[in-house]
Amino acid sequence: ASTNAWPNGDQGGVRRSIDGGTTWENLIDAYTGRFIMQGGDGYIYAVAWPYPSDESLYRTSDYGDTWEFVTSVPQGNNIFSVAVNTTATPTTIFAGTGQGVLRSTANGAFFDFSNEGIDEGAWILCMDVSDDGIVAAGTTSGYYVSSDNGESWAKGGGAIESDTISALRFYTAPAAGIESNGENSLTMGTSISGEAQLVEAFGDSEYLTSTLLAIFGPAEISGLFLGHLQGLNKKLHGLATFPIGSFGGGYYQSTDGGETFEEITEGLPDNPPIASIDAQNESNKKPGIENLLLYAGLFQGMNGGAKVYYLDQDLVGIDKIIRTGEDIGLLIHPHPFRQEVTIDFQLKEYAISNLAIYNSMGNLVHFEKGMHLSAGSQSLNWQPKELAAGMYYYVLTVGDQNYGGK
């Protein structure tokens, strides 16, 4: 992990870097810059509180060169979250506040409260919209789901009832499905009795019944992101925790659908106070590989400003459908193997091919790029040499097709 810092002080706002984080410029000065997000509608949304003025929502379509005022809340209220439903016509904008859900069905032209079904007094801390227009709201009194664009809300249950939900994200399973947890899902972070917990609800229950996925100790889950690992054929979970007391802060990642989580802290300070996290992936960096660039924002105290850390990882491709190889007669032998494995297949015509091998955590351990293969029978050999015994996964790219397995 590496770090870059912007100007310190207790003044918040919106900062921008156009040189990979080496330098930062102020775009909006405010007492508090609460959060920033990409809306999926061509805008970046940001909430700032230019005290003593009202806390306000702004958006920009030119990466921060100019900002448009969207709405505000009076003193005594806050905007904690924003979600944008681009499946609605016109686009619907949701703002989660300390007094419930503000909703604009006119792309921000005007807002009204839309709280039918939500407990009175609940703060709307986080929101998200699924690919098919389902809206979810995480609150200080459990979570709520709306299937009618926010007209009404149904309260979720199961593992969590009226607990505080600090983060949530929808996940849409790839068309080919995945080995485990292959349904569309809603993943949520909560803190129960001081223990950070990750829970999931699935589409077959209309996201209204949650089940426990993992427990992370005395902390608050401050950020989530989800993806799909094509080579492992699994869901990717990434989450950040903000410490409660002298320990509990960190970043955790699962590449096996949430069965196990690995804590990744190298380069971070002890007990890192991660306030937010985001990820950027580049599918074209290497054929068959997804480059995952993680960003973590660390709170440095009221007078210490903030720091941004980043972690560059090569993982199996996200959101890429992979083929099993029947159409090219793909055969792996011996299986299992000890010292060497052979991949046999047939090509109908000349093709440029690549071979990537990953370990059980999804990290690249071998890569052969740009093999010019002619039509006919082909055999590729791989020797793990100094690598530890265990499960490995391959992704064979033939032209524009990806094939893979264990």
Side-chain angles (χ1 to χ4, degrees):
S2 300
T3 178
N4 288 295
W6 54 49
N8 288 332
D10 61 357
Q11 296 300 303
V14 176
R15 318 286 194 244
R16 177 179 68 179
S17 174
I18 59 175
D19 55 10
T22 301
T23 61
W24 296 83
E25 59 180 312
N26 296 343
L27 300 180
I28 298 177
D29 274 321
Y31 179 74
T32 298
R34 197 165 300 277
F35 74 91
I36 190 168
M37 61 163 282
Q38 291 186 326
D41 58 349
Y43 287 99
I44 295 172
Y45 290 82
V47 172
W49 180 23
Y51 180 84
S53 300
D54 294 338
E55 188 162 311
S56 300
L57 173 64
Y58 305 88
R59 65 184 177 187
T60 176
S61 59
D62 55 14
Y63 299 98
D65 286 340
T66 58
W67 291 86
E68 171 191 355
F69 171 83
V70 181
T71 192
S72 64
V73 293
Q75 291 191 35
N77 195 5
N78 303 104
I79 302 175
F80 299 110
S81 55
V82 169
V84 180
N85 188 0
T86 57
T87 70
T89 304
T91 297
T92 298
I93 302 172
F94 298 90
T97 79
Q99 297 177 356
V101 176
L102 273 175
R103 182 182 65 155
S104 172
T105 57
N107 195 26
F110 55 86
F111 283 80
D112 293 301
F113 279 103
S114 180
N115 292 324
E116 183 180 337
I118 297 178
D119 290 354
E120 185 176 355
W123 292 10
I124 315 300
L125 301 180
C126 47
M127 301 190 74
D128 198 18
V129 181
S130 70
D131 288 349
D132 55 356
I134 304 298
V135 188
T139 81
T140 53
S141 181
Y143 77 98
Y144 300 81
V145 176
S146 174
S147 59
D148 55 10
N149 199 33
E151 287 289 332
S152 60
W153 300 86
K155 189 170 187 176
I160 46 179
E161 295 290 344
S162 297
D163 305 290
T164 294
I165 309 299
S166 55
L168 57 73
R169 285 287 184 272
F170 276 107
Y171 170 79
T172 301
I178 59 177
E179 186 175 318
S180 64
N181 292 343
E183 304 174 61
N184 296 342
S185 62
L186 174 64
T187 302
M188 294 168 283
T190 184
S191 181
I192 301 176
S193 300
E195 299 283 328
Q197 300 189 13
L198 196 65
V199 300
E200 287 191 320
F202 294 93
D204 60 358
S205 70
E206 298 180 334
Y207 306 105
L208 294 176
T209 303
S210 61
T211 57
L212 177 65
L213 184 63
I215 300 176
F216 296 92
E220 176 183 295
I221 295 178
S222 54
L224 290 171
F225 69 87
L226 305 170
H228 178 69
L229 297 170
Q230 79 169 10
L232 302 183
N233 208 23
K234 296 279 189 176
K235 184 190 301 183
L236 169 70
H237 295 79
L239 66 96
T241 57
F242 193 90
I244 297 177
S246 59
F247 55 93
Y251 168 71
Y252 299 85
Q253 184 170 283
S254 172
T255 58
D256 58 9
E259 296 176 17
T260 61
F261 282 83
E262 176 190 14
E263 185 177 8
I264 302 176
T265 58
E266 184 176 356
L268 293 173
D270 292 338
N271 193 31
I274 303 177
S276 63
I277 194 164
D278 202 358
Q280 173 182 325
N281 55 284
E282 300 176 7
S283 59
N284 296 322
K285 184 176 181 181
K286 299 175 185 176
I289 301 172
E290 191 78 16
N291 176 248
L292 189 65
L293 185 58
L294 306 174
Y295 296 91
L298 273 65
F299 178 60
Q300 302 296 296
M302 287 303 296
N303 295 308
K307 286 187 177 180
V308 176
Y309 287 76
Y310 63 91
L311 176 64
D312 198 345
Q313 296 185 89
D314 279 340
L315 297 174
V316 182
I318 297 175
D319 292 330
K320 292 180 179 292
I321 297 174
I322 196 162
R323 306 165 77 92
T324 55
E326 289 88 348
D327 57 330
I328 59 172
L330 196 147
L331 176 66
I332 307 294
H333 63 92
H335 195 283
F337 71 97
R338 289 184 178 272
Q339 297 179 338
E340 183 180 70
V341 65
T342 300
I343 304 174
D344 291 336
F345 56 98
Q346 299 282 332
L347 292 183
K348 295 181 180 179
E349 57 186 12
Y350 162 86
I352 297 177
S353 302
N354 309 289
L355 176 64
I357 308 290
Y358 303 88
N359 62 18
S360 60
M361 293 303 298
N363 297 312
L364 179 71
V365 297
H366 176 77
F367 185 56
E368 292 182 55
K369 179 181 179 181
M371 296 178 287
H372 295 259
L373 304 180
S374 58
S377 299
Q378 302 293 337
S379 290
L380 301 177
N381 298 313
W382 178 60
Q383 298 177 350
K385 296 182 180 179
E386 303 299 324
L387 295 174
M391 185 71 71
Y392 290 88
Y393 302 81
Y394 70 91
V395 176
L396 174 66
T397 302
V398 178
D400 60 356
Q401 299 294 327
N402 290 322
Y403 302 89
K406 302 177 182 180

